[in-house]
Amino acid sequence: MSFLSTFTYSKMNTNLEMLSQREQLMEDIDCIISEFFNDTWGDYDEAECNQLIQTVCDAVCRNFPAN
């Protein structure tokens, strides 16, 4: 029984780490794209920038699901 408990905890810990890394990746994507738009165009359409961020972050979520 203790093996099962250890395995379940280990799996939950791995999922939590993966979710934390995925969240950090999406924050990095937001910063990178926002800085690129700002450095390249200065005065840009924020809606287009946000749409690109959303599209890339959606791809991250599709390719690295929570379960």
Side-chain angles (χ1 to χ4, degrees), residues 29-30 33-34 37 44-60 62:
I29 288 168
D30 187 352
I33 292 175
S34 296
F37 267 65
Y44 60 90
D45 183 6
E46 193 169 331
E48 287 181 1
C49 179
N50 290 337
Q51 184 178 7
L52 177 58
I53 292 168
Q54 179 76 39
T55 301
V56 175
C57 288
D58 286 348
V60 168
R62 275 193 313 277

